[in-house]
Amino acid sequence: MMSDAATVADAAQDQELALLGDALRGIMTSAPAHELDSALADLGWGDMLTEMPDVAIPLVFRLLGKTGAHAPVLNDVVLHAAGLPIAGTLPLPFSGGKWIVWERTGVAGTSLDEEIPLYTSDAGEEIGPAAIAAGRRALGWWLVGTSRTMLSLARTHALDRTQFGKPVASFQAVRHRLADTLVAIEGAEATLLAANDDLGSLLAKAAAGKAALTAARHCQQVLGGIGFTAEHDLQRHIRRALVLDGILGSAKELTRVAGALIRSTGSAPRLVQL
């Protein structure tokens, strides 16, 4: 009886999350970019973040990646993890020793990304490791989401397009690129699911950044010339992935940090105890 009750409760929870996901996707695909921040707040993003962050962060940030939408909610994740009020902004470390601020004005068009209000800033105050870790996990889910969309775009193209009388998807080189991309994405997502400390979050962000760069490279090759056009959705996801990879440490930088840590301790801790 207890098992049956637990099963019913789990099914009900899954249904609620599915409905919430549908509502979030609907907002992200319909709300103008400059209104998405307030639309998410109206839907209860703040309450979700404070009451169930382990559910809300993967759900919201993965959908931001999949839909190609953007909102300055990374600020909220870092602020909440730092014990500060959300709905504000703060300078965040960026690749190459720079600092950026993701403004909440909704005014787009900057040197970092033409669609989002991301501005370079003077160095900010030191951010605690818990806040950095939470931000890295959130960015990791965002990168995984946008990587999956890049893979979907390339896969659809490969299935629909023919060359020499055969579907592009039938060529071994294309299949290998798509398979390598999927393996990288699945590995990054598994790392994110297991990340529960500073090192795990660092490795998860690095894996997600690497997966996104792999997706960008392979999917660009699969799509060929059409993927290079500014009008194709792939380009927007590639630009977004490059920016997200740089926030709170790029895949290359974080890999070096992890390597230095392993050398200094003389051992490599397991991310998951098997």
Side-chain angles (χ1 to χ4, degrees):
M1 293 295 293
M2 291 295 292
S3 178
D4 291 342
T7 301
V8 171
D10 289 343
Q13 185 180 41
D14 290 344
Q15 186 176 16
E16 290 176 359
L17 288 176
L19 291 173
L20 178 58
D22 290 342
L24 286 166
R25 182 184 291 274
I27 289 176
M28 292 178 187
T29 55
S30 62
H34 65 280
E35 295 179 5
L36 182 55
D37 189 20
S38 60
L40 289 173
D42 292 341
L43 189 63
W45 157 245
D47 292 335
M48 287 188 283
L49 176 61
T50 56
E51 296 174 8
M52 51 177 191
D54 293 341
V55 174
I57 292 173
L59 179 62
V60 169
F61 282 83
R62 184 161 38 190
L63 280 172
L64 284 171
K66 286 184 175 180
T67 60
H70 62 85
V73 288
L74 177 63
N75 289 300
D76 299 328
V77 172
V78 177
L79 288 168
H80 175 64
L84 299 172
I86 65 173
T89 62
L90 75 169
L92 298 170
F94 191 77
S95 179
K98 300 176 183 178
W99 290 74
I100 55 94
V101 173
W102 198 317
E103 296 287 359
R104 309 196 87 120
T105 61
V107 179
T110 71
S111 59
L112 291 173
D113 191 302
E114 63 184 21
E115 293 184 354
I116 59 179
L118 201 63
Y119 297 89
T120 56
S121 171
D122 296 330
E125 297 181 3
E126 190 70 23
I127 303 172
I132 290 288
R136 283 173 174 164
R137 292 193 298 272
L139 288 165
W141 286 114
W142 199 334
L143 286 161
V144 163
T146 201
S147 297
R148 288 199 180 278
T149 295
M150 285 191 278
L151 178 59
S152 177
L153 290 170
R155 179 179 178 274
T156 299
H157 175 82
L159 289 171
D160 293 345
R161 193 70 175 259
T162 59
Q163 195 172 44
F164 307 115
K166 297 181 179 180
V168 171
S170 67
F171 295 110
Q172 191 174 46
V174 171
R175 295 165 72 93
H176 282 176
R177 288 187 182 277
L178 296 177
D180 287 347
T181 300
L182 179 60
V183 169
I185 295 171
E186 292 287 342
E189 184 160 332
T191 310
L192 281 162
L193 288 170
N196 57 11
D197 59 12
D198 296 346
L199 177 60
S201 301
L202 181 152
L203 294 174
K205 171 64 163 54
K210 179 65 175 177
L213 297 177
T214 298
R217 183 174 67 255
H218 286 335
C219 295
Q220 180 75 83
Q221 289 294 320
V222 171
L223 282 159
I226 191 173
F228 283 95
T229 60
E231 294 79 10
H232 198 281
D233 283 344
L234 180 71
Q235 287 301 316
R236 179 158 52 101
H237 286 281
I238 290 177
R239 292 196 305 270
R240 189 64 42 76
L242 291 173
V243 171
L244 296 176
D245 178 55
I247 303 175
L248 301 183
S250 68
K252 183 181 293 186
E253 291 169 333
L254 295 180
T255 301
R256 287 200 297 264
V257 171
L261 177 62
I262 292 172
R263 288 197 304 271
S264 66
T265 59
S267 64
R270 288 185 176 183
L271 182 60
V272 180
Q273 295 295 334
L274 300 178

